[in-house]
Amino acid sequence: MPTTKEALSLAVETGDLLLRNGAEVYRVEDTVMHILDAYQVENYDVYVLSNGIFASANEDRDDACSMVRHVPLGTTHLGRIAALNQLSREICAGDLPISEAWERLEACRSLPYGKNRVNVLFCGIGCSCFAYLFGGGALDAAVAFLTGMALQWLLIRQRRRKSSKFLKNILGSALVTLLALLALSAGLPVHYDKIIIGSIMPLVPGMAFTTSIRDFFNGDYLSGAIHMIDAVLTAFCIAVGVDTVITLYRFLMGGVLL
Amino acid sequence: MIALQFFVSMIASLSFAVLFAAPKKELLLCGFTGAVTWLVYVIFTDLNTGTIVANLLATFALTVFARTAAAIRKNPVTVYLISGIFPLVPGAGIYYTSYYFIMNETALSGHYGMETVKVAGAIVLGIIFGFALPQSWFSALSHTFTRGSQL
């Protein structure tokens, strides 16, 4: 049987990784508790927020232990969440020795993101499909394919520089709008609004919004509020980016068009 | 026409699942989730229920479908839910609200702003209703399928 500290650090590390990759609070709390149960820790308390974990175990014994983690809101990686879910199932099902569990955890942690080229391509495809779904024509979809690829390229660069989320969203939506308006001024018969709507989809806070609702539903009001603020601010940043470029464009064109 | 919409929304959701690094085995199902969601939305919009009700029902269908898929494939619901929600998220609402705002068309901006808030509310209710169904229904499904695969 592992010591309290070993069991607790495995459990908290798993929770940390889940939270970092975009799992909702309820799942994180549940996983941490289940892992502690599986390693026969009986006395514990776990409190999870959307950007932090607080846990303590066996406070009445000599090997009492407690841990605090700060987990900044990060990028989503659904593959890691699924892998960690599988791992926690196996830990709960039988007696996976703790050293082996650590190895599996490291394997989950190092699951890679998609290759940049692949992501750029799929972002283009996704944006063009959305431009079509929201009422654009074939030409709009084609332009949205290019703007979507440009957007993902920008996002990858921003991620490398670790720049702020606000800047990322403002610059991203500004770039998309600029390209759509360029296509318009090049004389192409495009619906520039459909192109913009399709291409801002990768920035739109669908993830934060959904997680927020589920947090509220599970009674985690504070975490729900944090995610909701994140979603609203993101939407606001997108609006700022789009509006700035459109306003500048109108100014340069002498207030005509659009 | 509806077949084309189904196909395009499937590709769109699949692409976004790739961006969120969903497990490779689940990509097709993620795309399918989005397509089902969009199909429900389009059908109810055609029946003139209005966007709000269509959004509510589509989100409900999405949540139930995502939970079913999650139970059968033994994966977290998040994987399917996130991939499928994107066709409904009011990106257009955000755009038109801010666009008419800077064009000094206050009435139109307000109209689209309210519309966006209402759609967001409909999505909230859809997800809540979807999760209000007892987990035991979905767990039962999961057991049936596991037993089936062992035979």
Side-chain angles (χ1 to χ4, degrees), chain A residues 156-172:
Chain A
I156 289 168
R157 279 181 64 96
Q158 295 286 321
R159 195 180 298 157
R160 239 180 248 149
R161 283 193 204 158
K162 296 196 165 41
S163 66
S164 92
K165 215 169 167 177
F166 295 107
L167 205 62
K168 182 188 90 177
N169 289 317
I170 294 177
L171 286 180

Side-chain angles (χ1 to χ4, degrees), chain A residues 24 27 76-79 82 119 122 125 129-130 132-133 192-194 197 201 204 207 209 214 217 239 243 250, chain B residues 4 8 11-12 15-16 19-21 38 75-76 78 81-82 86-87 89 95-96 98-99 102-103 120 124 131:
Chain A
E24 76 278 13
R27 174 176 303 281
T76 309
H77 193 305
L78 295 176
N119 277 358
F122 274 97
I125 297 175
C129 288
F130 277 121
Y132 172 79
L133 284 182
Y192 69 94
D193 52 340
K194 305 298 182 203
I197 294 168
M201 286 314 282
V204 166
M207 168 81 197
F209 186 54
R214 298 183 63 196
F217 180 75
D243 288 355
R250 283 181 80 210
Chain B
L4 184 63
V8 173
I11 302 286
S15 311
F16 274 53
L19 293 184
F20 284 119
W38 184 251
N75 267 323
T78 320
L81 197 61
I82 300 298
F86 272 91
V89 175
Y95 171 78
Y96 286 118
S98 66
Y99 175 75
I102 55 162
M103 290 298 170
V124 170
F131 274 104

Side-chain angles (χ1 to χ4, degrees), chain B residues 11-138:
Chain B
I11 302 286
S13 307
L14 195 151
S15 311
F16 274 53
V18 173
L19 293 184
F20 284 119
K24 287 204 178 63
K25 275 186 241 160
E26 309 300 323
L27 284 179
L28 214 56
L29 198 53
C30 289
F32 197 67
T33 315
V36 168
T37 310
W38 184 251
L39 196 66
V40 174
Y41 175 76
V42 169
I43 288 174
F44 280 102
T45 316
D46 282 351
L47 291 174
N48 286 322
T49 54
T51 39
I52 311 299
V53 176
N55 266 295
L56 172 70
L57 293 171
T59 321
F60 179 73
L62 161 69
T63 313
V64 172
F65 190 88
R67 287 183 73 184
T68 313
I72 293 173
R73 306 283 298 170
K74 295 206 186 319
N75 267 323
V77 193
T78 320
V79 175
Y80 309 100
L81 197 61
I82 300 298
S83 317
I85 196 83
F86 272 91
L88 298 179
V89 175
I94 297 173
Y95 171 78
Y96 286 118
T97 308
S98 66
Y99 175 75
Y100 287 117
F101 181 71
I102 55 162
M103 290 298 170
N104 279 327
E105 305 243 22
T106 323
L108 271 173
S109 169
H111 168 77
Y112 278 106
M114 274 318 288
E115 182 91 4
T116 310
V117 172
K118 280 186 202 163
V119 168
I123 294 177
V124 170
L125 286 180
I127 292 183
I128 288 180
F129 289 157
F131 274 104
L133 299 178
Q135 179 63 37
S136 56
W137 296 1
F138 296 95

